[in-house]
Amino acid sequence: MSKTYVSYNNIISSLGFDSKTVVENIHNEISGLELIDNKNVLPEPFYSALINSEKLEIAFNKLNPKQDYTRLEKMMISSLSEVIHRSNMELNDRVGLIISTTKGNVDALDETNRFPKERAYLCELGKNVKEFFNFENDPIVVSNACVSGILAVAIAKRYIQQNTYDHVFIVSGDVVTEFILSGFNSFQALSNKRCKPYDINRTGINIGEVAASVLVTNTSENLAKESVYILGESSCNDANHISGPSRTGEGLYRSMTSALAQANILAKDIDYISAHGTATMFNDEMEAIALNRLQLQDVPLNSLKGYFGHTLGASGLLETIVGMHSLYNNTLYASKGFETLGVSKPINVIKKTTHKELITFLKTASGFGGCNTAIIFKKSNQTKNHV
Amino acid sequence: MSLDGHVIFNEQHSNFSEFIKAAYKAQNTKYPKFFKMDHLSKLAFLTADILLKNQGINSEIENNIALVFSNKASSLDTDLSHQKAIQDKDNYFPSPAVFVYTLPNICLGEISIKYKLYSENSFFIFERFNAKHLFTYTNSLVQDNKAESVLCGWVELEGENCEAFLYLVSEKGDMKHTKKNIITLYNT
């Protein structure tokens, strides 16, 4: 079967408006998280990584918008615009569009929001993105909790392998809203400190916002220098609980097992794991158990939540993009916020940003509803660079 | 409600809650977790349960069935409940039991728990029923050996309006898996 590549990419975030700038900030261990005190959003102060609204307006207005767009639409369109531009591709009938989000424009449901409630329909969001760029095909909107962003990559691959499309653009995004914060707070899942994935002193998640976009393609021509191709992918449900992870990490274990089998490689062939690491007690513990069941405990691993917070439906795609740059730069980035191991099984959390030759990485994610996804990526261009 | 073309439940009720409760009782479902679910999950769960039970699927053992569901309104019905709970700061009562259902794929989790499905599940949003998408995506899952069979369809719930249409794709069957046949089934 022919290869499916993940190529051009963009991140719009608190750490910058293009992937390169964002990755440089990660290299320098700069976090986008800051303490926010806004009683209109949450009764108590909270940590979040927010996109600067003025910068977003400037970036978006350069695209000459002809109508009014929501904050999320501005983020998504700005992000996707760069990827389409750099891909230099005609948006014909062989080009698909996937939108990945958990809650889309859910802020439109708020009575004080200036947009009508109808704007909260996810298909409206899809339509607005499609029409901005004049995509020929209708968007495929995937909303599968916190695995959405990474699942979208597997979906793109499947559409390409079914010969429906040659190229698929994915744009993912969620915004920080009162809706989301109040919900996670009611679960007592929010930390009032900077999140500390896998650490003994972790006390929960921070919610952040990004828009992230990629081109997924079947052609090896004109690829971005940091391109990777998909070796194997799988999604498995825990069949256990709708809001808590399986204690044995069953779904994640099965996802990784099945992705490795499809990739036809062994656990020891993985150079780096970009894990989920939300910094809740149960999630991080579950991941450590699943990784140990597959003898992946020695592979260097990080969670990027200490840089961006948990960015929900965008997190999987955001972290895939950073993983691609990690491979290209041959650099393992420190798992921000981690000091002392606080899970019951050993895992190799990256404490210090270090250079190392990297060829293959595993991206995992888990979410409400018991869903888990794992994808294994390999460097497209295996020349040694930056070493 | 109909199963394989035969009406199995036909009652008029003043609202969705009463209707789905009556259908649950008529089907002798006996699954107490049902009453904790939101409306979308109740609709998706009961529809799937009737179909899978009739296929002789044993919920006591692991089953390799993927789930590919779709709708237009996502979890909007429960989103509005959560929004109501946070809109007024003098009457502020967000609840985890409601919030967890503000994701459309939770209903897939509910079905997976009952039928021990450690398999692929994905939830898609389209403006209207999209047979072409369900057909293509299901084919890719079957060809990649991701599951032995795939339970697919459309589960829409908004206020008192509901529509659920599910079908099972597997190697054995009377009807060939084509886009045309999916549309025919949907329209009957």
Side-chain angles (χ1 to χ4, degrees), chain A residues 166-325:
Chain A
D166 292 320
H167 321 282
V168 177
F169 287 95
I170 305 173
V171 57
S172 63
D174 268 302
V175 275
V176 172
T177 57
E178 183 190 13
F179 187 101
I180 293 291
L181 290 167
S182 62
F184 276 102
N185 202 37
S186 74
F187 262 104
Q188 300 185 314
L190 291 187
S191 173
N192 59 2
K193 301 191 180 89
R194 290 171 185 277
C195 69
K196 296 174 75 66
Y198 310 111
D199 192 86
I200 190 144
N201 294 317
R202 70 187 184 279
T203 52
I205 63 175
N206 304 143
I207 302 289
E209 62 187 12
V210 304
S213 310
V214 296
L215 168 70
V216 182
T217 176
N218 64 6
T219 170
S220 58
E221 289 162 34
N222 184 34
L223 289 173
K225 57 187 178 359
E226 64 273 19
S227 297
V228 292
Y229 63 94
I230 300 166
L231 277 183
E233 42 76 23
S234 175
S235 295
C236 295
N237 199 283
D238 283 332
N240 173 63
H241 197 277
I242 53 167
S243 61
S246 152
R247 283 188 189 275
T248 56
E250 195 59 32
L252 179 58
Y253 167 75
R254 289 183 187 226
S255 301
M256 295 189 297
T257 305
S258 166
L260 280 165
Q262 192 180 51
N264 196 21
I265 62 169
L266 301 169
K268 68 172 179 57
D269 298 322
I270 304 281
D271 296 318
Y272 157 59
I273 301 167
S274 175
H276 192 48
T278 59
T280 66
M281 293 313 282
F282 290 125
N283 173 80
D284 294 7
E285 175 66 18
M286 175 281 284
E287 285 184 61
I289 290 167
L291 291 165
N292 274 268
R293 286 178 69 185
L294 261 171
Q295 278 85 51
L296 282 164
Q297 66 274 8
D298 298 326
V299 181
L301 158 156
N302 63 14
S303 157
L304 297 169
K305 304 295 190 287
Y307 297 95
F308 305 98
H310 189 350
T311 55
L312 308 173
S315 60
L317 195 63
L318 162 75
E319 291 154 12
T320 296
I321 294 170
V322 176
M324 288 162 63
H325 287 265

Side-chain angles (χ1 to χ4, degrees), chain A residues 1 39-43 102-103 106 109-112 117 120-123 127 139-145 151 155 157-159 161-162 164 178-180 182-184 186-187 233-243 250 254 258 262 368-369 371, chain B residues 33 62 72-76 78-80 82-83 86-87 89 92 94-97 99-106 108-110 112-113 116-128 132-137 139-141 143-144 146 156 158:
Chain A
M1 205 174 273
K39 301 276 186 291
N40 290 326
V41 183
L42 203 67
T102 63
K103 294 313 306 164
V106 74
L109 296 182
D110 191 309
E111 281 168 13
T112 61
K117 285 195 169 58
Y121 282 104
L122 298 182
C123 48
K127 202 167 82 178
I140 297 159
V141 181
V142 55
S143 185
N144 217 77
L151 181 61
I155 294 165
K157 179 197 127 179
R158 290 167 187 176
Y159 262 91
Q161 301 211 330
Q162 287 292 309
T164 307
E178 183 190 13
F179 187 101
I180 293 291
S182 62
F184 276 102
S186 74
F187 262 104
E233 42 76 23
S234 175
S235 295
C236 295
N237 199 283
D238 283 332
N240 173 63
H241 197 277
I242 53 167
S243 61
E250 195 59 32
R254 289 183 187 226
S258 166
Q262 192 180 51
F368 277 172
C371 50
Chain B
K33 272 187 196 161
E62 187 179 330
K72 180 187 176 191
S74 180
S75 56
L76 197 61
T78 300
D79 293 358
L80 288 167
H82 179 64
Q83 183 61 40
I86 59 171
Q87 189 68 57
K89 297 294 168 286
Y92 185 81
S95 142
F99 181 67
V100 69
Y101 286 102
T102 63
L103 292 163
N105 64 299
I106 299 298
L108 307 178
E110 297 284 15
S112 297
I113 293 167
K116 299 189 172 55
L117 310 181
Y118 298 94
S119 31
E120 285 265 349
N121 42 137
S122 26
F123 206 106
F124 296 94
I125 312 293
F126 291 100
E127 208 166 351
R128 58 187 72 83
K132 191 178 158 193
H133 167 74
L134 293 173
F135 175 71
T136 307
Y137 198 68
N139 278 346
S140 83
L141 292 179
Q143 284 166 19
D144 278 357
K146 294 288 184 192
E156 176 77 331
E158 225 188 326

Side-chain angles (χ1 to χ4, degrees), chain B residues 131 135 139 167 175-184:
Chain B
F135 175 71
N139 278 346
Y167 60 93
M175 199 183 238
K176 199 169 157 34
H177 183 230
T178 64
K179 196 184 121 189
K180 193 167 165 257
N181 282 339
I182 296 168
I183 294 169
T184 307

Side-chain angles (χ1 to χ4, degrees), chain A residues 341-356:
Chain A
L341 191 70
V343 289
S344 69
K345 302 277 177 194
I347 48 170
N348 183 9
V349 185
I350 304 161
K351 270 192 168 175
K352 197 167 167 288
T353 295
T354 35
H355 276 259
K356 192 188 173 208

